[in-house]
């Protein structure tokens, strides 16, 4: 059975991280928010959303070496290619730098990038989102409109229904990763 889901929101994330999520190389995002976010910063406003790959601000120095080969130029400037539907499996507000750094092996950012995000705007915390990702049967291609631009996390989309394939990770693998992330966050530092 092919899952279909209504989708009216997309989450902007570096293209490299979207590729890692869509391939199953990663299932975790560490988020703080963009410069145009509200004073409170990034919040997990949606439990299901499309991944919106961005090329702006991607920094090879902030990616772990195994993820730098995924860096590429924007294949369709002026258009947004949405590759997958993501569903939030777990979300953690991480308020300890040591705990945030313990998540490095489970996602694409370097420890330095995690630390920079943790301290961004002198608000010491990040969100860690464990995601179940389902590639779309056909990537959704939309023209990039002025409303989509800017350093924000959530982008409203026109009402549409997308057709997604099976998750890139099995339920057993997703559960294993969930337990690893929880174990990393529960360590005493």
């Amino acid at each position: 059975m092919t899952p279909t889901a209504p989708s009216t929101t997309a989450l902007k994330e570096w293209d490299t991280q979207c590729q890692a999520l869509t391939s199953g190389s990663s299932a975790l995002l560490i988020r703080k928010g963009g410069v145009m976010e509200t004073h409170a910063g990034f919040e997990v406003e949606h439990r299901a959303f499309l991944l919106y790959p961005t090329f702006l601000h991607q920094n090879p120095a902030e990616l772990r070496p195994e993820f730098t080969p995924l860096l590429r130029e924007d294949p369709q400037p002026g258009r947004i290619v949405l590759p997958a539907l993501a569903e939030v499996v777990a979300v953690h507000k991480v308020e300890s730098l040591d705990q945030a750094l313990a998540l490095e092996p489970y996602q694409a950012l370097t420890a330095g990038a995690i630390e920079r995000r943790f301290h961004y705007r002198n608000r010491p915390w990040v969100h860690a989102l464990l995601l179940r990702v389902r590639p779309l049967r056909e990537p959704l291609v939309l023209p990039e409109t002025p409303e989509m631009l800017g350093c924000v996390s959530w982008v409203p989309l026109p009402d549409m229904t997308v057709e997604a394939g099976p998750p890139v990770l099995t339920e057993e693998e997703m559960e294993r990763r969930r337990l690893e992330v929880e174990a990393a966050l529960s360590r005493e530092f």
Side-chain angles (χ1 to χ4, degrees):
M1 180 176 139
T2 301
T4 60
S7 191
T8 59
T9 305
L11 176 68
K12 282 187 175 182
E13 185 54 73
W14 286 355
D15 174 68
T16 308
Q17 296 221 75
C18 289
Q19 289 183 66
L21 290 165
T22 303
S23 71
S25 302
S26 172
L28 188 70
L29 281 181
I30 295 179
R31 296 290 308 206
K32 184 63 166 245
V35 295
M36 296 174 69
E37 302 291 358
T38 65
H39 180 70
F42 175 79
E43 292 296 330
V44 184
E45 298 174 20
H46 306 277
R47 291 298 181 169
F49 47 85
L50 292 167
L51 294 177
Y52 179 134
T54 63
F55 296 84
L56 188 63
H57 304 306
Q58 281 197 116
N59 184 347
E62 292 192 341
L63 292 169
R64 294 177 39 224
E66 60 267 39
F67 293 98
T68 58
L70 298 176
L71 285 164
R72 62 182 178 157
E73 295 295 318
D74 187 344
Q76 294 191 39
R79 301 182 73 70
I80 305 304
V81 180
L82 305 164
L85 178 68
E87 302 160 342
V88 177
V89 173
V91 61
H92 304 275
K93 186 171 184 180
V94 183
E95 298 178 282
S96 156
L97 178 58
D98 288 331
Q99 288 176 323
L101 294 173
L103 298 174
E104 182 187 17
Y106 307 109
Q107 50 76 62
L109 299 175
T110 63
I114 293 169
E115 185 169 359
R116 185 178 66 75
R117 288 182 183 202
F118 185 86
H119 290 298
Y120 182 63
R121 292 188 173 173
N122 293 319
R123 287 188 238 138
W125 57 266
V126 290
H127 279 103
L129 285 75
L130 186 65
L131 302 175
R132 176 180 294 108
V133 176
R134 301 172 184 271
L136 299 183
R137 294 287 183 190
E138 294 290 328
L140 182 61
V141 181
L142 300 173
E144 188 173 49
T145 65
E147 296 79 28
M148 295 174 168
L149 302 176
C151 294
V152 296
S153 297
W154 299 108
V155 177
L157 299 173
D159 286 342
M160 64 185 80
T161 299
V162 295
E163 200 172 319
V168 294
L169 299 176
T170 65
E171 285 305 310
E172 294 79 18
E173 178 64 16
M174 181 58 65
E175 180 64 9
R176 184 183 71 75
R177 293 191 190 194
R178 185 187 66 77
L179 292 172
E180 287 177 347
V181 166
E182 287 181 3
L185 291 173
S186 66
R187 285 188 208 132
E188 293 294 324
F189 293 97

